[in-house]
Amino acid sequence: MLAKITSGAVVGLNATLVDVEVDIPGSSLPSFTIVGLPDKAVEESKERVRSAIKNSGADFPTGRITVNLAPADLPKMGPAYDLPIALGILIASGQIAPEISESLFFGELSLDGTLRHTNGILPMAYLTREKNFKNIFVPKINEKEASVVSGINVYSIGSLLELVRFFVGTAKIFPAVKINLESLLVRSSAEFDFSEIVGQEQAKRALEIAAAGGHNIFMKGTPGSGKTMLARALPGILSTLTEDEALEVTKIYSITGNIPEGESIITKRPFRSPHHTTSRIGLIGGGGSPMPGEISLAHRGVLFLDEFPEFPRHVLEALRQPMEDGVVTISRAKGSFTYPSKFLLVAASNPCP
């Protein structure tokens, strides 16, 4: 029997639909195969799904199982396909028969069948709305992150067993309550208050001008003179994030797994302070599977480079184009990815001996 579940893959900052097709023929030798350019995390989902189904009280098929992740030319990364694969196996084996044509599924399974925190939920929620799907099923721990997107029903589930009971009609799951972004942004406050810094009036005046005009700034002073504290207080005098800006930043933090647990969106302007031993890839972004770097994590906020002369020259030179264009494009064999990088650069150093 063939089952088809709709999920998605995060590409850059956006998501695209992925069809999870599960085929279990009537009689064959036991095997479990996943095709469709899966990475190591997706390959390992076979063991997680097997244990999760058994520990949820369902029967794991003993015959041949073939899982196809389509489109086949798109690399599939991460453990988020655990839930749709497990659901597809249950449907293809005839254990449940739900109506899922208007739903997306996304989540990582534990061996006991519970759902773990999964990266990339916000782009998936936007994909659900853009493609005119009505429902999205996500882990309960990611509920707030998905609930900021209007026009869709967000069902948060704690385990595979809970989802099965919902589909067979023995349990109820109600859509999550939508979150008002405006109220979250109004309540946010800065970590450091600019008004609490005593002295350094000239430096504070320079930072106020930089904040007002979006200018980059370089501070030079002896150790202990307050350069780091001034830089950390700078996001507090920047304007409050707009809803669009907050969602831009949250998308970046969602795919990198940096949203604080229990939070729905990023409400404060980011402040990033990488160590001077940071590599060019760590600062700009990249890697085998390209991910945003520090300049993208500082988007709409402040990038603080302390001990500025200690950064390697080739790392600092790499900042030129992103600072001018406000975006950084990373090209690798797996594709070309563009990430935003509109940040206010604050550099600091000690006086030259």
Side-chain angles (χ1 to χ4, degrees), residues 1-6 20-24 32 49 53 61 65-67 81-96 98 100 105 160 163 167:
M1 183 176 176
L2 177 68
K4 182 177 176 181
I5 315 297
T6 307
V20 180
E21 300 170 333
V22 181
D23 180 48
I24 304 178
F32 194 165
V49 168
I53 290 178
I65 302 172
T66 304
V67 177
Y81 302 102
D82 292 0
L83 180 62
I85 290 174
L87 184 60
I89 290 174
L90 293 175
I91 296 174
S93 60
Q95 298 181 61
I96 56 175
I100 56 172
F105 299 85
L160 179 62
L163 182 63
F167 282 141

PDB file of all heavy atoms in Angstrom, residues 1-6 20-24 32 49 53 61 65-67 81-96 98 100 105 160 163 167:
ATOM      1  N   MET A   1       0.851  -1.190   0.000  1.00  0.00           N
ATOM      2  CA  MET A   1       0.000   0.000   0.000  1.00  0.00           C
ATOM      3  C   MET A   1       0.887   1.241   0.000  1.00  0.00           C
ATOM      4  O   MET A   1       1.967   1.257   0.605  1.00  0.00           O
ATOM      5  CB  MET A   1      -0.922  -0.003   1.223  1.00  0.00           C
ATOM      6  CG  MET A   1      -1.890   1.151   1.286  1.00  0.00           C
ATOM      7  SD  MET A   1      -3.018   0.988   2.709  1.00  0.00           S
ATOM      8  CE  MET A   1      -3.918   2.526   2.564  1.00  0.00           C
ATOM      9  N   LEU A   2       0.442   2.282  -0.691  1.00  0.00           N
ATOM     10  CA  LEU A   2       1.213   3.515  -0.823  1.00  0.00           C
ATOM     11  C   LEU A   2       0.571   4.638  -0.021  1.00  0.00           C
ATOM     12  O   LEU A   2      -0.650   4.809  -0.048  1.00  0.00           O
ATOM     13  CB  LEU A   2       1.318   3.916  -2.298  1.00  0.00           C
ATOM     14  CG  LEU A   2       2.051   5.231  -2.610  1.00  0.00           C
ATOM     15  CD1 LEU A   2       3.532   5.088  -2.286  1.00  0.00           C
ATOM     16  CD2 LEU A   2       1.869   5.616  -4.070  1.00  0.00           C
ATOM     17  N   ALA A   3       1.403   5.392   0.717  1.00  0.00           N
ATOM     18  CA  ALA A   3       0.919   6.552   1.472  1.00  0.00           C
ATOM     19  C   ALA A   3       1.753   7.766   1.083  1.00  0.00           C
ATOM     20  O   ALA A   3       2.952   7.651   0.798  1.00  0.00           O
ATOM     21  CB  ALA A   3       1.013   6.295   2.967  1.00  0.00           C
ATOM     22  N   LYS A   4       1.127   8.924   1.069  1.00  0.00           N
ATOM     23  CA  LYS A   4       1.813  10.165   0.696  1.00  0.00           C
ATOM     24  C   LYS A   4       1.544  11.229   1.754  1.00  0.00           C
ATOM     25  O   LYS A   4       0.399  11.592   2.000  1.00  0.00           O
ATOM     26  CB  LYS A   4       1.327  10.643  -0.673  1.00  0.00           C
ATOM     27  CG  LYS A   4       2.015  11.893  -1.172  1.00  0.00           C
ATOM     28  CD  LYS A   4       1.513  12.251  -2.571  1.00  0.00           C
ATOM     29  CE  LYS A   4       2.113  13.550  -3.060  1.00  0.00           C
ATOM     30  NZ  LYS A   4       1.610  13.917  -4.410  1.00  0.00           N
ATOM     31  N   ILE A   5       2.625  11.719   2.384  1.00  0.00           N
ATOM     32  CA  ILE A   5       2.544  12.737   3.438  1.00  0.00           C
ATOM     33  C   ILE A   5       3.260  13.982   2.934  1.00  0.00           C
ATOM     34  O   ILE A   5       4.296  13.884   2.277  1.00  0.00           O
ATOM     35  CB  ILE A   5       3.223  12.258   4.742  1.00  0.00           C
ATOM     36  CG1 ILE A   5       2.817  10.829   5.067  1.00  0.00           C
ATOM     37  CG2 ILE A   5       2.890  13.197   5.889  1.00  0.00           C
ATOM     38  CD1 ILE A   5       1.359  10.635   5.332  1.00  0.00           C
ATOM     39  N   THR A   6       2.725  15.146   3.214  1.00  0.00           N
ATOM     40  CA  THR A   6       3.355  16.398   2.790  1.00  0.00           C
ATOM     41  C   THR A   6       4.156  16.988   3.944  1.00  0.00           C
ATOM     42  O   THR A   6       3.652  17.160   5.050  1.00  0.00           O
ATOM     43  CB  THR A   6       2.307  17.416   2.319  1.00  0.00           C
ATOM     44  OG1 THR A   6       1.475  16.816   1.324  1.00  0.00           O
ATOM     45  CG2 THR A   6       2.979  18.643   1.737  1.00  0.00           C
ATOM     46  N   VAL A  20       6.597  13.037   1.135  1.00  0.00           N
ATOM     47  CA  VAL A  20       7.159  11.830   1.737  1.00  0.00           C
ATOM     48  C   VAL A  20       6.263  10.670   1.319  1.00  0.00           C
ATOM     49  O   VAL A  20       5.147  10.510   1.808  1.00  0.00           O
ATOM     50  CB  VAL A  20       7.224  11.954   3.271  1.00  0.00           C
ATOM     51  CG1 VAL A  20       7.804  10.690   3.890  1.00  0.00           C
ATOM     52  CG2 VAL A  20       8.059  13.171   3.672  1.00  0.00           C
ATOM     53  N   GLU A  21       6.765   9.865   0.380  1.00  0.00           N
ATOM     54  CA  GLU A  21       6.002   8.732  -0.147  1.00  0.00           C
ATOM     55  C   GLU A  21       6.510   7.441   0.501  1.00  0.00           C
ATOM     56  O   GLU A  21       7.709   7.164   0.491  1.00  0.00           O
ATOM     57  CB  GLU A  21       6.160   8.660  -1.666  1.00  0.00           C
ATOM     58  CG  GLU A  21       5.666   9.906  -2.386  1.00  0.00           C
ATOM     59  CD  GLU A  21       6.032   9.924  -3.852  1.00  0.00           C
ATOM     60  OE1 GLU A  21       7.050   9.307  -4.219  1.00  0.00           O
ATOM     61  OE2 GLU A  21       5.313  10.569  -4.630  1.00  0.00           O
ATOM     62  N   VAL A  22       5.591   6.667   1.054  1.00  0.00           N
ATOM     63  CA  VAL A  22       5.941   5.417   1.737  1.00  0.00           C
ATOM     64  C   VAL A  22       5.203   4.273   1.047  1.00  0.00           C
ATOM     65  O   VAL A  22       3.979   4.301   0.920  1.00  0.00           O
ATOM     66  CB  VAL A  22       5.576   5.469   3.229  1.00  0.00           C
ATOM     67  CG1 VAL A  22       5.965   4.159   3.913  1.00  0.00           C
ATOM     68  CG2 VAL A  22       6.255   6.652   3.915  1.00  0.00           C
ATOM     69  N   ASP A  23       5.963   3.281   0.612  1.00  0.00           N
ATOM     70  CA  ASP A  23       5.377   2.122  -0.068  1.00  0.00           C
ATOM     71  C   ASP A  23       5.714   0.854   0.719  1.00  0.00           C
ATOM     72  O   ASP A  23       6.874   0.606   1.044  1.00  0.00           O
ATOM     73  CB  ASP A  23       5.908   2.007  -1.490  1.00  0.00           C
ATOM     74  CG  ASP A  23       5.316   0.808  -2.224  1.00  0.00           C
ATOM     75  OD1 ASP A  23       4.080   0.641  -2.167  1.00  0.00           O
ATOM     76  OD2 ASP A  23       6.086   0.040  -2.824  1.00  0.00           O
ATOM     77  N   ILE A  24       4.681   0.068   1.041  1.00  0.00           N
ATOM     78  CA  ILE A  24       4.862  -1.223   1.717  1.00  0.00           C
ATOM     79  C   ILE A  24       4.123  -2.272   0.904  1.00  0.00           C
ATOM     80  O   ILE A  24       2.893  -2.386   0.987  1.00  0.00           O
ATOM     81  CB  ILE A  24       4.324  -1.180   3.169  1.00  0.00           C
ATOM     82  CG1 ILE A  24       4.987  -0.053   3.961  1.00  0.00           C
ATOM     83  CG2 ILE A  24       4.554  -2.522   3.858  1.00  0.00           C
ATOM     84  CD1 ILE A  24       4.474   0.090   5.384  1.00  0.00           C
ATOM     85  N   PHE A  32      14.410  -1.595   4.955  1.00  0.00           N
ATOM     86  CA  PHE A  32      13.935  -0.221   5.189  1.00  0.00           C
ATOM     87  C   PHE A  32      14.877   0.693   4.414  1.00  0.00           C
ATOM     88  O   PHE A  32      16.047   0.839   4.765  1.00  0.00           O
ATOM     89  CB  PHE A  32      13.963   0.091   6.687  1.00  0.00           C
ATOM     90  CG  PHE A  32      13.188   1.338   7.078  1.00  0.00           C
ATOM     91  CD1 PHE A  32      12.868   1.575   8.408  1.00  0.00           C
ATOM     92  CD2 PHE A  32      12.777   2.271   6.130  1.00  0.00           C
ATOM     93  CE1 PHE A  32      12.153   2.708   8.790  1.00  0.00           C
ATOM     94  CE2 PHE A  32      12.060   3.399   6.494  1.00  0.00           C
ATOM     95  CZ  PHE A  32      11.748   3.615   7.831  1.00  0.00           C
ATOM     96  N   VAL A  49      12.447   6.051  13.907  1.00  0.00           N
ATOM     97  CA  VAL A  49      11.056   5.766  13.539  1.00  0.00           C
ATOM     98  C   VAL A  49      10.657   4.361  13.979  1.00  0.00           C
ATOM     99  O   VAL A  49       9.564   4.152  14.522  1.00  0.00           O
ATOM    100  CB  VAL A  49      10.873   5.949  12.016  1.00  0.00           C
ATOM    101  CG1 VAL A  49       9.530   5.373  11.569  1.00  0.00           C
ATOM    102  CG2 VAL A  49      10.972   7.412  11.641  1.00  0.00           C
ATOM    103  N   ILE A  53       7.621   3.912  16.719  1.00  0.00           N
ATOM    104  CA  ILE A  53       6.371   3.216  16.398  1.00  0.00           C
ATOM    105  C   ILE A  53       6.126   2.072  17.376  1.00  0.00           C
ATOM    106  O   ILE A  53       5.014   1.890  17.897  1.00  0.00           O
ATOM    107  CB  ILE A  53       6.410   2.707  14.939  1.00  0.00           C
ATOM    108  CG1 ILE A  53       6.321   3.894  13.972  1.00  0.00           C
ATOM    109  CG2 ILE A  53       5.272   1.722  14.676  1.00  0.00           C
ATOM    110  CD1 ILE A  53       6.409   3.502  12.508  1.00  0.00           C
ATOM    111  N   PRO A  61       5.778  -2.708  10.465  1.00  0.00           N
ATOM    112  CA  PRO A  61       5.678  -3.714   9.401  1.00  0.00           C
ATOM    113  C   PRO A  61       6.956  -4.548   9.276  1.00  0.00           C
ATOM    114  O   PRO A  61       8.068  -4.027   9.440  1.00  0.00           O
ATOM    115  CB  PRO A  61       5.443  -2.879   8.136  1.00  0.00           C
ATOM    116  CG  PRO A  61       4.902  -1.581   8.636  1.00  0.00           C
ATOM    117  CD  PRO A  61       5.538  -1.342   9.967  1.00  0.00           C
ATOM    118  N   ILE A  65      10.038  -1.778   3.267  1.00  0.00           N
ATOM    119  CA  ILE A  65       9.534  -0.399   3.366  1.00  0.00           C
ATOM    120  C   ILE A  65      10.423   0.487   2.513  1.00  0.00           C
ATOM    121  O   ILE A  65      11.643   0.529   2.698  1.00  0.00           O
ATOM    122  CB  ILE A  65       9.536   0.103   4.820  1.00  0.00           C
ATOM    123  CG1 ILE A  65       8.693  -0.804   5.714  1.00  0.00           C
ATOM    124  CG2 ILE A  65       9.022   1.537   4.885  1.00  0.00           C
ATOM    125  CD1 ILE A  65       8.811  -0.468   7.185  1.00  0.00           C
ATOM    126  N   THR A  66       9.828   1.212   1.574  1.00  0.00           N
ATOM    127  CA  THR A  66      10.572   2.160   0.738  1.00  0.00           C
ATOM    128  C   THR A  66      10.004   3.558   0.953  1.00  0.00           C
ATOM    129  O   THR A  66       8.799   3.779   0.797  1.00  0.00           O
ATOM    130  CB  THR A  66      10.465   1.792  -0.755  1.00  0.00           C
ATOM    131  OG1 THR A  66      10.921   0.450  -0.937  1.00  0.00           O
ATOM    132  CG2 THR A  66      11.313   2.730  -1.588  1.00  0.00           C
ATOM    133  N   VAL A  67      10.881   4.474   1.337  1.00  0.00           N
ATOM    134  CA  VAL A  67      10.485   5.866   1.568  1.00  0.00           C
ATOM    135  C   VAL A  67      11.170   6.739   0.524  1.00  0.00           C
ATOM    136  O   VAL A  67      12.396   6.699   0.378  1.00  0.00           O
ATOM    137  CB  VAL A  67      10.875   6.332   2.982  1.00  0.00           C
ATOM    138  CG1 VAL A  67      10.507   7.802   3.171  1.00  0.00           C
ATOM    139  CG2 VAL A  67      10.204   5.465   4.036  1.00  0.00           C
ATOM    140  N   TYR A  81      12.071  14.939   9.276  1.00  0.00           N
ATOM    141  CA  TYR A  81      11.212  14.047   8.490  1.00  0.00           C
ATOM    142  C   TYR A  81      10.778  12.825   9.288  1.00  0.00           C
ATOM    143  O   TYR A  81      10.062  11.971   8.753  1.00  0.00           O
ATOM    144  CB  TYR A  81      11.935  13.617   7.213  1.00  0.00           C
ATOM    145  CG  TYR A  81      12.350  14.782   6.349  1.00  0.00           C
ATOM    146  CD1 TYR A  81      13.664  15.230   6.340  1.00  0.00           C
ATOM    147  CD2 TYR A  81      11.429  15.450   5.557  1.00  0.00           C
ATOM    148  CE1 TYR A  81      14.053  16.311   5.565  1.00  0.00           C
ATOM    149  CE2 TYR A  81      11.802  16.525   4.777  1.00  0.00           C
ATOM    150  CZ  TYR A  81      13.116  16.960   4.793  1.00  0.00           C
ATOM    151  OH  TYR A  81      13.488  18.031   4.034  1.00  0.00           O
ATOM    152  N   ASP A  82      11.211  12.720  10.548  1.00  0.00           N
ATOM    153  CA  ASP A  82      10.829  11.562  11.365  1.00  0.00           C
ATOM    154  C   ASP A  82       9.312  11.401  11.449  1.00  0.00           C
ATOM    155  O   ASP A  82       8.774  10.307  11.241  1.00  0.00           O
ATOM    156  CB  ASP A  82      11.396  11.703  12.782  1.00  0.00           C
ATOM    157  CG  ASP A  82      12.908  11.587  12.818  1.00  0.00           C
ATOM    158  OD1 ASP A  82      13.509  11.389  11.751  1.00  0.00           O
ATOM    159  OD2 ASP A  82      13.480  11.686  13.917  1.00  0.00           O
ATOM    160  N   LEU A  83       8.622  12.481  11.787  1.00  0.00           N
ATOM    161  CA  LEU A  83       7.168  12.410  11.975  1.00  0.00           C
ATOM    162  C   LEU A  83       6.436  12.030  10.692  1.00  0.00           C
ATOM    163  O   LEU A  83       5.615  11.104  10.711  1.00  0.00           O
ATOM    164  CB  LEU A  83       6.640  13.725  12.541  1.00  0.00           C
ATOM    165  CG  LEU A  83       5.132  13.789  12.797  1.00  0.00           C
ATOM    166  CD1 LEU A  83       4.722  12.751  13.830  1.00  0.00           C
ATOM    167  CD2 LEU A  83       4.708  15.189  13.244  1.00  0.00           C
ATOM    168  N   PRO A  84       6.685  12.700   9.549  1.00  0.00           N
ATOM    169  CA  PRO A  84       5.965  12.279   8.333  1.00  0.00           C
ATOM    170  C   PRO A  84       6.306  10.859   7.900  1.00  0.00           C
ATOM    171  O   PRO A  84       5.435  10.153   7.386  1.00  0.00           O
ATOM    172  CB  PRO A  84       6.397  13.317   7.283  1.00  0.00           C
ATOM    173  CG  PRO A  84       7.579  14.013   7.841  1.00  0.00           C
ATOM    174  CD  PRO A  84       7.449  13.950   9.321  1.00  0.00           C
ATOM    175  N   ILE A  85       7.551  10.396   8.108  1.00  0.00           N
ATOM    176  CA  ILE A  85       7.901   9.024   7.733  1.00  0.00           C
ATOM    177  C   ILE A  85       7.130   8.026   8.606  1.00  0.00           C
ATOM    178  O   ILE A  85       6.567   7.044   8.113  1.00  0.00           O
ATOM    179  CB  ILE A  85       9.420   8.799   7.852  1.00  0.00           C
ATOM    180  CG1 ILE A  85      10.166   9.565   6.757  1.00  0.00           C
ATOM    181  CG2 ILE A  85       9.750   7.309   7.760  1.00  0.00           C
ATOM    182  CD1 ILE A  85      11.672   9.515   6.891  1.00  0.00           C
ATOM    183  N   ALA A  86       7.106   8.287   9.930  1.00  0.00           N
ATOM    184  CA  ALA A  86       6.387   7.393  10.839  1.00  0.00           C
ATOM    185  C   ALA A  86       4.894   7.357  10.514  1.00  0.00           C
ATOM    186  O   ALA A  86       4.274   6.282  10.494  1.00  0.00           O
ATOM    187  CB  ALA A  86       6.606   7.838  12.283  1.00  0.00           C
ATOM    188  N   LEU A  87       4.329   8.525  10.234  1.00  0.00           N
ATOM    189  CA  LEU A  87       2.901   8.583   9.895  1.00  0.00           C
ATOM    190  C   LEU A  87       2.631   7.847   8.587  1.00  0.00           C
ATOM    191  O   LEU A  87       1.626   7.127   8.461  1.00  0.00           O
ATOM    192  CB  LEU A  87       2.459  10.045   9.798  1.00  0.00           C
ATOM    193  CG  LEU A  87       0.981  10.307   9.555  1.00  0.00           C
ATOM    194  CD1 LEU A  87       0.131   9.728  10.682  1.00  0.00           C
ATOM    195  CD2 LEU A  87       0.717  11.810   9.412  1.00  0.00           C
ATOM    196  N   GLY A  88       3.534   8.013   7.629  1.00  0.00           N
ATOM    197  CA  GLY A  88       3.365   7.326   6.356  1.00  0.00           C
ATOM    198  C   GLY A  88       3.401   5.813   6.513  1.00  0.00           C
ATOM    199  O   GLY A  88       2.646   5.095   5.842  1.00  0.00           O
ATOM    200  N   ILE A  89       4.267   5.306   7.378  1.00  0.00           N
ATOM    201  CA  ILE A  89       4.349   3.858   7.616  1.00  0.00           C
ATOM    202  C   ILE A  89       3.060   3.346   8.246  1.00  0.00           C
ATOM    203  O   ILE A  89       2.542   2.286   7.864  1.00  0.00           O
ATOM    204  CB  ILE A  89       5.565   3.546   8.509  1.00  0.00           C
ATOM    205  CG1 ILE A  89       6.865   3.773   7.729  1.00  0.00           C
ATOM    206  CG2 ILE A  89       5.505   2.107   9.022  1.00  0.00           C
ATOM    207  CD1 ILE A  89       8.118   3.628   8.561  1.00  0.00           C
ATOM    208  N   LEU A  90       2.508   4.106   9.189  1.00  0.00           N
ATOM    209  CA  LEU A  90       1.264   3.691   9.842  1.00  0.00           C
ATOM    210  C   LEU A  90       0.095   3.673   8.863  1.00  0.00           C
ATOM    211  O   LEU A  90      -0.772   2.802   8.929  1.00  0.00           O
ATOM    212  CB  LEU A  90       0.960   4.615  11.021  1.00  0.00           C
ATOM    213  CG  LEU A  90       1.933   4.548  12.201  1.00  0.00           C
ATOM    214  CD1 LEU A  90       1.575   5.609  13.244  1.00  0.00           C
ATOM    215  CD2 LEU A  90       1.922   3.163  12.839  1.00  0.00           C
ATOM    216  N   ILE A  91       0.081   4.643   7.931  1.00  0.00           N
ATOM    217  CA  ILE A  91      -0.999   4.687   6.943  1.00  0.00           C
ATOM    218  C   ILE A  91      -0.816   3.586   5.905  1.00  0.00           C
ATOM    219  O   ILE A  91      -1.772   2.868   5.550  1.00  0.00           O
ATOM    220  CB  ILE A  91      -1.042   6.071   6.261  1.00  0.00           C
ATOM    221  CG1 ILE A  91      -1.388   7.159   7.286  1.00  0.00           C
ATOM    222  CG2 ILE A  91      -2.050   6.073   5.116  1.00  0.00           C
ATOM    223  CD1 ILE A  91      -1.313   8.570   6.735  1.00  0.00           C
ATOM    224  N   ALA A  92       0.430   3.426   5.417  1.00  0.00           N
ATOM    225  CA  ALA A  92       0.685   2.423   4.374  1.00  0.00           C
ATOM    226  C   ALA A  92       0.470   0.999   4.872  1.00  0.00           C
ATOM    227  O   ALA A  92       0.124   0.111   4.097  1.00  0.00           O
ATOM    228  CB  ALA A  92       2.110   2.583   3.843  1.00  0.00           C
ATOM    229  N   SER A  93       0.642   0.797   6.184  1.00  0.00           N
ATOM    230  CA  SER A  93       0.427  -0.548   6.744  1.00  0.00           C
ATOM    231  C   SER A  93      -1.029  -0.779   7.139  1.00  0.00           C
ATOM    232  O   SER A  93      -1.368  -1.843   7.673  1.00  0.00           O
ATOM    233  CB  SER A  93       1.341  -0.757   7.957  1.00  0.00           C
ATOM    234  OG  SER A  93       1.068   0.201   8.970  1.00  0.00           O
ATOM    235  N   GLY A  94      -1.883   0.236   6.922  1.00  0.00           N
ATOM    236  CA  GLY A  94      -3.308   0.068   7.160  1.00  0.00           C
ATOM    237  C   GLY A  94      -3.745   0.199   8.604  1.00  0.00           C
ATOM    238  O   GLY A  94      -4.881  -0.144   8.944  1.00  0.00           O
ATOM    239  N   GLN A  95      -2.873   0.763   9.460  1.00  0.00           N
ATOM    240  CA  GLN A  95      -3.234   0.885  10.882  1.00  0.00           C
ATOM    241  C   GLN A  95      -4.105   2.104  11.153  1.00  0.00           C
ATOM    242  O   GLN A  95      -4.903   2.101  12.091  1.00  0.00           O
ATOM    243  CB  GLN A  95      -1.959   0.931  11.732  1.00  0.00           C
ATOM    244  CG  GLN A  95      -1.119  -0.329  11.613  1.00  0.00           C
ATOM    245  CD  GLN A  95       0.120  -0.287  12.482  1.00  0.00           C
ATOM    246  OE1 GLN A  95       0.054  -0.192  13.712  1.00  0.00           O
ATOM    247  NE2 GLN A  95       1.287  -0.368  11.842  1.00  0.00           N
ATOM    248  N   ILE A  96      -3.954   3.167  10.362  1.00  0.00           N
ATOM    249  CA  ILE A  96      -4.817   4.345  10.464  1.00  0.00           C
ATOM    250  C   ILE A  96      -5.133   4.818   9.044  1.00  0.00           C
ATOM    251  O   ILE A  96      -4.412   4.489   8.097  1.00  0.00           O
ATOM    252  CB  ILE A  96      -4.162   5.501  11.271  1.00  0.00           C
ATOM    253  CG1 ILE A  96      -2.807   5.890  10.665  1.00  0.00           C
ATOM    254  CG2 ILE A  96      -3.998   5.129  12.725  1.00  0.00           C
ATOM    255  CD1 ILE A  96      -2.169   7.107  11.334  1.00  0.00           C
ATOM    256  N   PRO A  98      -6.231   8.480   8.075  1.00  0.00           N
ATOM    257  CA  PRO A  98      -6.686   9.862   8.305  1.00  0.00           C
ATOM    258  C   PRO A  98      -6.816  10.650   7.001  1.00  0.00           C
ATOM    259  O   PRO A  98      -6.275  10.261   5.956  1.00  0.00           O
ATOM    260  CB  PRO A  98      -5.569  10.446   9.171  1.00  0.00           C
ATOM    261  CG  PRO A  98      -4.341   9.721   8.705  1.00  0.00           C
ATOM    262  CD  PRO A  98      -4.792   8.331   8.338  1.00  0.00           C
ATOM    263  N   ILE A 100      -5.481  13.735   5.363  1.00  0.00           N
ATOM    264  CA  ILE A 100      -4.328  14.622   5.593  1.00  0.00           C
ATOM    265  C   ILE A 100      -3.961  15.422   4.351  1.00  0.00           C
ATOM    266  O   ILE A 100      -2.852  15.961   4.267  1.00  0.00           O
ATOM    267  CB  ILE A 100      -3.105  13.800   6.054  1.00  0.00           C
ATOM    268  CG1 ILE A 100      -2.801  12.706   5.034  1.00  0.00           C
ATOM    269  CG2 ILE A 100      -3.336  13.207   7.428  1.00  0.00           C
ATOM    270  CD1 ILE A 100      -1.514  11.977   5.301  1.00  0.00           C
ATOM    271  N   PHE A 105       3.326  18.105   7.962  1.00  0.00           N
ATOM    272  CA  PHE A 105       3.848  17.464   9.166  1.00  0.00           C
ATOM    273  C   PHE A 105       5.353  17.686   9.240  1.00  0.00           C
ATOM    274  O   PHE A 105       6.062  17.565   8.238  1.00  0.00           O
ATOM    275  CB  PHE A 105       3.524  15.966   9.154  1.00  0.00           C
ATOM    276  CG  PHE A 105       2.058  15.656   9.138  1.00  0.00           C
ATOM    277  CD1 PHE A 105       1.353  15.624   7.948  1.00  0.00           C
ATOM    278  CD2 PHE A 105       1.370  15.420  10.324  1.00  0.00           C
ATOM    279  CE1 PHE A 105      -0.006  15.364   7.922  1.00  0.00           C
ATOM    280  CE2 PHE A 105       0.017  15.151  10.314  1.00  0.00           C
ATOM    281  CZ  PHE A 105      -0.673  15.121   9.115  1.00  0.00           C
ATOM    282  N   LEU A 160       3.942  10.774  19.096  1.00  0.00           N
ATOM    283  CA  LEU A 160       3.330  10.063  17.975  1.00  0.00           C
ATOM    284  C   LEU A 160       2.040   9.378  18.414  1.00  0.00           C
ATOM    285  O   LEU A 160       1.056   9.343  17.661  1.00  0.00           O
ATOM    286  CB  LEU A 160       4.327   9.030  17.434  1.00  0.00           C
ATOM    287  CG  LEU A 160       3.854   8.157  16.274  1.00  0.00           C
ATOM    288  CD1 LEU A 160       3.528   9.004  15.052  1.00  0.00           C
ATOM    289  CD2 LEU A 160       4.909   7.107  15.933  1.00  0.00           C
ATOM    290  N   LEU A 163      -0.826  11.789  18.333  1.00  0.00           N
ATOM    291  CA  LEU A 163      -1.282  12.051  16.968  1.00  0.00           C
ATOM    292  C   LEU A 163      -2.141  10.904  16.453  1.00  0.00           C
ATOM    293  O   LEU A 163      -3.188  11.127  15.825  1.00  0.00           O
ATOM    294  CB  LEU A 163      -0.074  12.267  16.048  1.00  0.00           C
ATOM    295  CG  LEU A 163      -0.388  12.590  14.591  1.00  0.00           C
ATOM    296  CD1 LEU A 163      -1.142  13.910  14.479  1.00  0.00           C
ATOM    297  CD2 LEU A 163       0.895  12.642  13.763  1.00  0.00           C
ATOM    298  N   PHE A 167      -6.150  10.952  15.225  1.00  0.00           N
ATOM    299  CA  PHE A 167      -6.640  10.527  13.915  1.00  0.00           C
ATOM    300  C   PHE A 167      -7.672   9.407  14.013  1.00  0.00           C
ATOM    301  O   PHE A 167      -8.549   9.295  13.143  1.00  0.00           O
ATOM    302  CB  PHE A 167      -5.472  10.099  13.029  1.00  0.00           C
ATOM    303  CG  PHE A 167      -4.709  11.261  12.443  1.00  0.00           C
ATOM    304  CD1 PHE A 167      -3.329  11.221  12.340  1.00  0.00           C
ATOM    305  CD2 PHE A 167      -5.368  12.382  11.982  1.00  0.00           C
ATOM    306  CE1 PHE A 167      -2.620  12.282  11.792  1.00  0.00           C
ATOM    307  CE2 PHE A 167      -4.683  13.448  11.427  1.00  0.00           C
ATOM    308  CZ  PHE A 167      -3.308  13.400  11.336  1.00  0.00           C
TER     309      PHE A 167
END
